[in-house]
Amino acid sequence: MDTKDWLIRDLKEDWLEERAVRVEEVNKIGKKYYKQYDIKQGLRNSDGTGVVVGFTKIGSVHGYTYCDGVKTSIEGKLFYRDIEIEELVKNTGEFGFESIVYLLLFGEMPDEEELKKFNAILDGFRKLPTHFTENTILKSPSRDVMNKLQRAILVLYSYDEKPDCLDIDRILIQSLKLIARFPTIISYGFQAKAHYFDDQSLYLHNPKNELGTAANILHMIRANNEYTQLEKDTLDLLLILHAEHGGGNNSAFTTHVVSSSGTDTYSAVGAAVGSLKGPKHGGANLRVKAMVDNIKDNLDNYSDKKELKKYLKKILKGEVFDQKGLIYGMGHAVYTKSDPRAVILKRKSKELAAAKGRLQEFELYDNIESLTKEIFKEERGEDCEICANVDLYSGFVYQLLNIPEELFTPLFATARVASWCAHRIEQLVSDHKIIRPAYKSLKNEEKCTIR
């Protein structure tokens, strides 16, 4: 590069830096306006509850009640098609996740014969189309598997003879194919990433019939194909717990919004993947892992509760770790006293940690939960309720399963795609209006502040 090229580059950088400051300035909206016009930021009411924008039969989340206008905390409840999650995890068998997918799509649990037929359909769709792996996954690997998943979904549009058809039978076929293929796409996407960017050996294992989703994932991501029954059952449980969380979570709402435009299934599900990729949604357990790694690095004995509590207070004050003042894995938008997913997963994580000889690590997570509750009550009053959410334990479980962190969020997507497809169908058959909320223009009010 000659002197002229360097000069042009430097001028561009200076110009862009100056303009970036200007762009930020002209787009910033003062918080006072949200209060002045009673705008619900994040579609949240002033008490933190969500603004009701529609109906759903698919799932519901309960963390509080209202009586005479007073919000009261309760133990968290999660329902899939009006069946409580605790009941579901107790009564699902070898193919628990597949039973839940059936429930979310068809509104009832399958009997043994129906589940067998359903599994056969999914098995028939698990392999990717001819040349798809080579052309779409291996030839253009991505450092982020969620990015690869999103791109692959959009490419699958080209393999569909009627991709834009909105007949429900067609959308059901598209949905089942996506649900079946997500595990294969994320497994191959990870292998391509590991080979191209991390210089690891490339191995691709074809999905096998009659294994189910959880076992196939372990089969495809492990070089030796080996896994224990406990590992398979634990991953199956994780998939069940992540499968649905009401219509108001960001990715489900994204599915509703995009589907309301009348677009195709691949665009709608691709948009949901983009939503889940965000660290405030599907990437939250990675922040938990980073926080716990930081605690381990900075405490000589993280089993010492007094020292751990002191460090958690420093995290909360923004003095250490990422200085955001957040204890990741604690607190939820809806759940107050407890997150039922965290309660269930905590039990399973202790069982798996015992089998792996890592109970000391489990106790660290358990102590983070209990000590954070203590800190909040001490600093904000005895009435303050904060609970562990599912992300506190999910990342730990993935580590116990030797699943690389690049697959944490893609596995979340693999579980949640069944819900997205169900919510898409619900939107299309129940509400034919395009979702179009209003934004108030502040041109006149802000005019005097723009220089």
Side-chain angles (χ1 to χ4, degrees):
M1 185 179 292
D2 60 27
T3 305
K4 183 179 178 182
D5 290 332
W6 278 107
L7 180 61
I8 292 172
R9 190 202 67 177
D10 290 343
L11 284 172
K12 283 182 179 179
E13 288 181 356
D14 291 341
W15 184 87
L16 285 172
E17 187 173 324
E18 291 174 2
R19 301 313 292 175
V21 172
R22 175 63 173 165
V23 167
E24 183 175 353
E25 180 182 276
V26 300
N27 285 287
K28 185 76 172 179
I29 296 175
K31 287 188 176 294
K32 65 178 182 179
Y33 293 110
Y34 291 95
K35 186 175 182 179
Q36 179 180 342
Y37 293 103
D38 192 27
I39 301 299
K40 315 291 188 183
Q41 278 191 284
L43 286 179
R44 304 283 185 88
N45 295 308
S46 59
D47 61 359
T49 60
V51 175
V52 177
V53 297
F55 298 98
T56 183
K57 292 181 177 180
I58 298 165
S60 58
V61 182
H62 302 281
Y64 50 82
T65 60
Y66 269 101
C67 183
D68 297 327
V70 178
K71 182 180 176 182
T72 303
S73 300
I74 61 171
E75 298 294 341
K77 300 288 183 183
L78 173 61
F79 298 86
Y80 292 4
R81 295 286 187 181
D82 292 331
I83 306 174
E84 196 170 348
I85 190 66
E86 280 277 9
E87 181 181 345
L88 285 171
V89 298
K90 288 177 183 176
N91 295 320
T92 51
E94 182 71 12
F95 299 100
F97 177 64
E98 287 72 25
S99 298
I100 297 304
V101 172
Y102 189 99
L103 170 67
L104 294 175
L105 289 175
F106 303 112
E108 61 183 6
M109 290 293 286
D111 60 26
E112 186 176 343
E113 186 61 29
E114 194 68 12
L115 181 58
K116 185 177 181 180
K117 292 178 182 177
F118 186 61
N119 281 337
I121 291 171
L122 293 178
D123 282 343
F125 291 147
R126 292 191 191 280
K127 287 186 179 180
L128 298 172
T130 304
H131 307 308
F132 182 90
T133 300
E134 180 180 356
N135 294 331
T136 302
I137 298 179
L138 298 182
K139 286 186 177 179
S140 55
S142 174
R143 285 185 171 86
D144 193 303
V145 181
M146 287 293 281
N147 170 267
K148 171 54 63 182
L149 175 61
Q150 191 174 36
R151 283 193 279 160
I153 293 164
L154 296 177
V155 172
L156 284 172
Y157 176 100
S158 302
Y159 289 79
D160 190 329
E161 293 179 358
K162 298 179 180 180
D164 294 299
C165 179
L166 295 183
D167 293 343
I168 297 304
D169 59 345
R170 191 71 199 175
I171 290 176
L172 184 58
I173 291 174
Q174 293 167 346
S175 298
L176 292 174
K177 285 183 176 181
L178 287 173
I179 292 165
R181 289 169 176 171
F182 262 45
T184 313
I185 293 171
I186 67 167
S187 298
Y188 289 4
F190 169 72
Q191 301 299 354
K193 179 263 177 191
H195 175 66
Y196 188 83
F197 296 106
D198 304 328
D199 199 29
Q200 296 182 19
S201 297
L202 177 68
Y203 54 89
L204 301 177
H205 301 152
N206 287 327
K208 288 186 175 181
N209 293 341
E210 300 181 5
L211 284 187
T213 303
N216 257 309
I217 290 169
L218 294 173
H219 157 72
M220 288 188 285
I221 67 173
R222 292 185 173 181
N224 60 10
N225 304 122
E226 296 177 0
Y227 53 88
T228 67
Q229 185 67 34
L230 177 58
E231 289 177 322
K232 177 264 175 191
D233 290 345
T234 302
L235 183 55
D236 189 64
L237 175 64
L238 264 171
L239 294 173
I240 292 172
L241 295 177
H242 279 128
E244 160 63 10
H245 213 236
N249 69 80
N250 198 270
S251 55
F253 184 57
T254 297
T255 306
H256 277 278
V257 172
V258 178
S259 294
S260 76
S261 74
T263 193
D264 64 277
T265 298
Y266 305 96
S267 294
V269 174
V273 169
S275 164
L276 193 73
K277 182 175 181 286
K280 294 180 181 179
H281 192 8
N285 54 24
L286 290 171
R287 300 307 302 152
V288 174
K289 180 182 183 299
M291 179 186 73
V292 171
D293 288 344
N294 178 266
I295 290 172
K296 290 178 179 178
D297 289 341
N298 287 279
L299 292 182
D300 293 331
N301 180 13
Y302 58 74
S303 296
D304 186 328
K305 288 187 178 183
K306 287 185 179 179
E307 291 303 309
L308 177 58
K309 188 173 182 178
K310 287 180 183 177
Y311 199 76
L312 289 172
K313 285 184 176 181
K314 288 182 179 180
I315 291 176
L316 198 57
K317 291 177 181 177
E319 297 174 354
V320 293
F321 183 42
D322 63 1
Q323 300 182 326
K324 296 289 181 64
L326 297 172
I327 297 179
Y328 295 96
M330 295 299 298
H332 191 268
V334 179
Y335 298 124
T336 50
K337 286 192 172 183
S338 63
D339 177 343
R341 303 167 302 169
V343 173
I344 294 167
L345 192 57
K346 181 178 180 179
R347 293 197 301 259
K348 197 69 173 181
S349 66
K350 185 175 183 179
E351 179 185 356
L352 186 60
K356 299 275 188 177
R358 295 172 66 176
L359 275 175
Q360 185 182 18
E361 286 181 79
F362 167 80
E363 289 169 359
L364 171 58
Y365 287 85
D366 187 26
N367 288 335
I368 290 172
E369 178 183 358
S370 61
L371 293 174
T372 301
K373 290 179 179 180
E374 283 183 19
I375 293 168
F376 271 76
K377 286 188 178 295
E378 290 169 2
E379 298 187 357
R380 303 186 186 183
E382 280 298 316
D383 293 334
C384 180
E385 296 285 0
I386 187 170
C387 67
N389 61 56
V390 70
D391 293 310
L392 182 64
Y393 293 99
S394 63
F396 176 53
V397 170
Y398 286 140
Q399 292 175 74
L400 291 174
L401 291 172
N402 295 318
I403 290 173
E405 63 182 68
E406 295 96 326
L407 284 172
F408 286 11
T409 309
L411 283 170
F412 192 162
T414 297
R416 191 59 65 86
V417 65
S419 169
W420 295 334
C421 291
H423 280 282
R424 170 169 166 76
I425 293 171
E426 187 177 63
Q427 179 68 38
L428 292 174
V429 302
S430 300
D431 188 351
H432 302 294
K433 283 187 175 293
I434 187 170
I435 295 175
R436 195 227 181 268
Y439 274 66
K440 180 175 178 60
S441 172
L442 282 177
K443 183 170 64 173
N444 293 330
E445 288 87 343
E446 292 262 273
K447 189 174 182 180
C448 63
T449 66
I450 297 177
R451 298 187 299 275

